[in-house]
Amino acid sequence: MVNLAYVIAGSEATGGAGLQADLKTFQQLGVYGVGTITCIVSFDPKNGWGHRFVPIAPEVIADQIEAATAAHTLDVVKIGMLGTPATIDTVAQSLAQQSWRHVVVDPVLICKGQEPGAALDTDNALRTQILPLATVVTPNLFEARTLSGMDSIASVDDLAQAARRIADLGPRYVVAKGGVELPGDDAVDVVFDGNDITIFRSPKVGEERVSGAGCTLAAAITAELTKGAEVLDAVSRAKDLTTAGIVGRISANTPFDTVWQGA
Ligand code: PXL
């Protein structure tokens, strides 16, 4: 039997992040991927590779979700970049049409192509309409600061504190990612399950951010949950795949490298 995983996310046109990274991750982990596009991000090579952002019309998002969920029996979904309050409304309503064993939310908060005011509305909609549906949420350091309301996260203890605060917003498990920006030699991820903190560490691979790492981690968690793993095991395997993908990253004409899930 083939396991199916579903992702609702944005397209990132260079292929490094977003839905493209999610589907590659699913495939690499032996899971059949089904994807719905929420928005299209096209980095602008003539403008410092800044984000050009185009939302997909809400009715087209709803149509995609209808098609995907009618065609397949799906019970695990990853939510990536949503981008606008209208998209968040549509996705929240569509998700409410059925029950889900797991909803993995990568809380992609800002998109540089958007105005700050619009971004704030999007952040608030994500917080109130999507996070309560999540069984697993995977904030990076910036998202953990924003969602927890903490001014600074400078240590593993701070990261654990942020994870505890984010759990108050509704998700059952919080996977807070230290990444390269948290001081120290290791890339540290902290998981809070509502009671206990579990810490995952691996040596940092360089000091630069690599595009697609966050998408890959959340997609790999989703794939492992689809196959029946417990959350902590799913996180552990996802961290291994992501670390290998960072070690085996590809470079491009962009100022940043990109995770290669097939490494
Ligand atoms: O890595 C975050 C991310 C997620 N989804 C889309 C993106 C990006 C970053 O550029 O473009 C569509």
Side-chain angles (χ1 to χ4, degrees), residues 26-47:
F26 289 171
Q27 184 83 10
Q28 183 67 22
L29 291 172
V31 168
Y32 182 103
V34 180
T36 285
I37 297 191
T38 55
C39 59
I40 299 176
V41 172
S42 312
F43 297 146
D44 184 354
K46 296 190 292 305
N47 189 17

Side-chain angles (χ1 to χ4, degrees), residues 4 22 25 61 68 75 89-90 113 119 122 145 147 190 203 237 260:
L4 280 81
D22 295 324
T25 303
I61 297 172
D75 68 351
D89 276 346
T90 303
T122 303
R145 268 198 304 269
L147 292 172
V190 167
R237 288 179 213 153
W260 165 225

Side-chain angles (χ1 to χ4, degrees), residues 62-72:
D63 287 352
Q64 294 176 75
I65 298 174
E66 184 186 21
T69 53
H72 303 292

